[in-house]
């Protein structure tokens, strides 16, 4: 669940997305109701403007990391995922590749595990 969430929030296509918040909206199926509201508002930043100028889309790879974490319980679990994000424009432009670690706290939900909180580093 953390890998799908991390991949989704980093996958954008400026040709079809109105802004970076679109990726977070697409990630809502992976999160708890508690988290779904705060992720709706994501501001456009300088990076987005550069990507949009090149009509870029991102290529994302995600690797689940073996991180030391408390053992899973019946109600929560912890995961870590490394995401590598490369923006590529339709004009041949390639932006710098960024690598981030996404740490997820998962909560048991009626539909299975869902991301209840997360942090990123990098």
């Amino acid at each position: 669940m953390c890998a799908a969430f991390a991949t989704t929030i980093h996958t954008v296509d400026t040709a079809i997305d109105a802004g970076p918040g679109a990726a977070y909206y697409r990630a809502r199926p992976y999160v708890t109701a508690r988290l779904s509201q705060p992720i709706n508002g994501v501001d456009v930043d300088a990076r987005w403007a550069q990507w949009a100028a090149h009509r870029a889309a991102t290529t994302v790879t995600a690797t689940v990391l073996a991180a030391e974490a408390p053992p899973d319980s019946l109600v929560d679990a912890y995961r870590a995922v490394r995401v590598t994000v490369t923006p590529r424009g339709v004009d041949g432009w390639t932006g710098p590749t960024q690598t981030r670690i996404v740490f997820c706290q998962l909560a048991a939900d009626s539909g299975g595990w869902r991301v209840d909180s997360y942090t990123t580093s990098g």
Side-chain angles (χ1 to χ4, degrees):
M1 187 60 58
C2 187
F5 171 77
T7 298
T8 302
I9 64 171
H10 289 93
T11 301
V12 298
D13 183 343
T14 62
I16 60 172
D17 293 342
Y24 285 87
Y25 184 79
R26 287 190 296 272
R28 291 180 76 190
Y30 302 114
V31 303
T32 62
R34 185 180 77 76
L35 183 59
S36 70
Q37 294 307 315
I39 68 171
N40 288 336
V42 177
D43 293 327
V44 173
D45 58 13
R47 181 182 66 169
W48 178 265
Q50 181 184 38
W51 291 1
H54 293 284
R55 295 179 303 162
T58 57
T59 301
V60 180
T61 58
T63 305
V64 176
L65 301 176
E68 288 196 31
D72 293 359
S73 75
L74 294 175
V75 295
D76 63 8
Y78 298 85
R79 301 290 185 267
V81 176
R82 178 187 309 113
V83 291
T84 304
V85 182
T86 305
R88 291 186 170 81
V90 297
D91 59 1
W93 173 84
T94 299
T97 296
Q98 300 172 341
T99 300
R100 294 192 172 111
I101 307 297
V102 178
F103 300 95
C104 298
Q105 178 183 3
L106 306 176
D109 188 277
S110 60
W113 291 110
R114 299 276 186 255
V115 177
D116 194 47
S117 66
Y118 74 98
T119 58
T120 60
S121 69

